[in-house]
């Protein structure tokens, strides 16, 4: 009987989370904000979580979200994506340079201005790969609670800032193309099955964000291979945005207001610095390649793959370009994070040795 009660509470909490995300998304969409379903949902669930409401998205449902995002990104890939590969080396080089600048600048700022220990400061400064960052923190490098707050603030602020920037900044952005045909239920089921299988393989191979990337790889391969040309049904795309908003917002569950306020200022400033660096790099790349500024920005952005991919869909950009750059970003971070953690550990040992 208690197990049934817990199960009922969990179901009600999940339904409440989705309802709040949908309500927030609906309001943002009504106000005419780009990517309103995603941005509004993320903000609404964040506020609810910080207010103490039980915002829950179980692991099983999170995997459903990841598969839907991957499917949507694959279905949104531009048919001429492969022809644009020649211009990618410039933006990929900019991506590598900006990662070094972001980690060095924000890590230094958090250490010197906010007096965080080097482990906490530099692990908080990495733009992405949160699961890997937290895995390193769990070994005793830095303060895990402060790191997760700063990192989640980064993801939330980017999800909110990008659509608002698309309204107020003088940059090119596009309305998502209106599809003339949509995938049938049978096509959706077959595509979903292939995407799930690919996601599981990627996860088994320990690929970062494996479920999202596996699903996208399968959906992209099927589209470029000519197995389908139709778009995802609009209600399913909206549901994907609502679920993604709930996923982002639910990451604030368990963080007390005291903890949040203690790390929020540093997190906001670090995010502002990161956004400024990415924006300057995107403007530079934009002078050299013929692509919309917003697409370049999302490709270079330090946001989570699922959030930036969903924004790319909502704003009508080429998701192949965005996803490829995020894959490279995660790959670069896979090498950089442990290297910096080892460096921080050695510096801490050196400092302790000099005091003894």
């Amino acid at each position: 009987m208690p197990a049934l009660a817990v199960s009922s509470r969990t179901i009600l909490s999940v339904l409440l989370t989705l309802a709040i995300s949908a309500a927030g998304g609906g309001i943002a969409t009504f106000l005419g904000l780009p990517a309103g379903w995603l941005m509004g949902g993320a903000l609404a669930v964040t506020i609810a979580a910080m207010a103490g409401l039980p915002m829950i998205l179980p692991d099983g449902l999170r995997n459903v979200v990841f598969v839907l995002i991957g499917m949507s990104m694959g279905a949104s890939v531009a048919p001429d994506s492969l022809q644009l590969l020649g211009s990618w080396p410039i933006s990929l080089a900019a991506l590598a340079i900006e990662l070094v600048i972001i980690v060095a600048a924000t890590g230094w700022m958090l250490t010197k201005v906010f007096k965080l220990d080097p482990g906490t400061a530099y692990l908080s400064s990495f733009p992405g790969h949160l699961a890997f960052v937290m895995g390193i923190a769990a070994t005793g490098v830095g303060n895990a609670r402060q790191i997760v707050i700063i990192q989640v603030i980064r993801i939330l602020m980017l999800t909110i800032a990008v659509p608002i920037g698309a309204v107020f900044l003088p940059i090119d952005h596009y309305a998502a193309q209106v599809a003339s045909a949509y995938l049938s239920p049978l096509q959706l089921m077959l595509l979903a099955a292939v995407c799930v299988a690919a996601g599981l393989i990627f996860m088994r191979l320990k690929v970062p964000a494996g479920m999202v990337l596996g699903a996208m790889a399968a959906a992209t391969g099927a589209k470029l291979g000519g197995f389908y040309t139709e778009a995802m049904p609009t209600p399913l795309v909206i549901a994907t945005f609502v679920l993604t908003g709930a996923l982002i917002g639910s990451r604030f569950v368990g963080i007390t207001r005291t903890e949040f306020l203690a790390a929020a200022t540093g997190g906001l400033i670090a995010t502002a610095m990161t956004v400024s660096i990415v924006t300057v790099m995107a403007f530079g790349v934009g002078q050299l390649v013929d692509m919309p500024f917003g697409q370049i920005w999302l490709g270079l952005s330090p946001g989570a793959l699922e959030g930036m991919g969903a924004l790319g869909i909502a704003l009508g950009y080429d998701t192949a370009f965005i996803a490829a750059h995020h894959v490279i970003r995660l790959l670069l971070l896979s090498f950089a994070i442990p290297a910096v953690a080892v460096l921080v550990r050695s510096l801490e040992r050196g400092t302790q040795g000099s005091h003894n």
Side-chain angles (χ1 to χ4, degrees), residues 17 20-21 38-51 53-57 62 152-153 155-157 159-160 241-255 260 306:
T17 304
I20 289 175
S21 181
L38 175 64
M39 180 190 70
L43 185 58
V45 175
T46 297
I47 293 171
M50 294 301 297
L53 292 177
M55 298 289 97
I56 297 175
L57 211 64
R62 291 184 182 207
V152 171
I153 286 173
I155 295 169
L156 176 68
M157 293 310 298
T159 306
I160 295 171
F241 291 155
V242 169
L243 285 164
T244 306
L247 174 64
I248 293 170
S250 65
R251 287 175 171 149
F252 280 91
V253 169
I255 297 174
F260 177 81
E306 61 270 18

Side-chain angles (χ1 to χ4, degrees), residues 57-64 66:
L57 211 64
D59 290 342
L61 190 52
R62 291 184 182 207
N63 285 330
V64 171
F66 293 149

Side-chain angles (χ1 to χ4, degrees), residues 269-353:
I269 294 175
T271 302
M273 290 174 62
T274 300
V275 167
S276 300
I277 294 167
V278 171
T279 302
V280 170
M281 297 298 289
F283 269 119
V285 172
Q287 307 308 307
L288 301 174
V289 301
D290 184 20
M291 279 185 203
F293 172 81
Q295 179 171 300
I296 299 170
W297 200 99
L298 284 176
L300 298 181
S301 74
L305 172 62
E306 61 270 18
M308 296 303 104
L311 283 172
I313 297 167
L315 297 174
Y317 294 130
D318 178 12
T319 52
F321 174 87
I322 295 168
H325 284 66
H326 282 272
V327 171
I328 298 299
R329 176 173 61 87
L330 293 173
L331 181 62
L332 292 172
L333 290 176
S334 296
F335 292 101
I337 291 169
V340 170
V342 169
L343 180 60
V344 167
R345 271 283 175 85
S346 64
L347 289 174
E348 288 176 343
R349 290 195 189 100
T351 303
Q352 290 171 357

Side-chain angles (χ1 to χ4, degrees), residues 182-279:
Y182 297 96
L183 290 164
S184 68
L186 177 59
Q187 286 177 304
L188 282 171
M189 286 190 291
L190 291 173
L191 183 61
V194 174
C195 288
V196 169
L200 291 173
I201 292 171
F202 275 47
M203 289 178 67
R204 186 69 180 267
L205 296 174
K206 307 296 184 184
V207 175
M211 188 58 78
V212 177
L213 291 177
M216 184 188 172
T220 301
K223 183 163 189 179
L224 295 179
F227 289 98
Y228 73 98
T229 57
E230 298 85 357
M232 294 275 284
T234 301
L236 189 57
V237 174
I238 292 174
T240 301
F241 291 155
V242 169
L243 285 164
T244 306
L247 174 64
I248 293 170
S250 65
R251 287 175 171 149
F252 280 91
V253 169
I255 297 174
T256 67
R257 267 171 278 191
T258 303
E259 286 178 313
F260 177 81
L261 292 174
T265 305
L268 289 172
I269 294 175
T271 302
M273 290 174 62
T274 300
V275 167
S276 300
I277 294 167
V278 171
T279 302

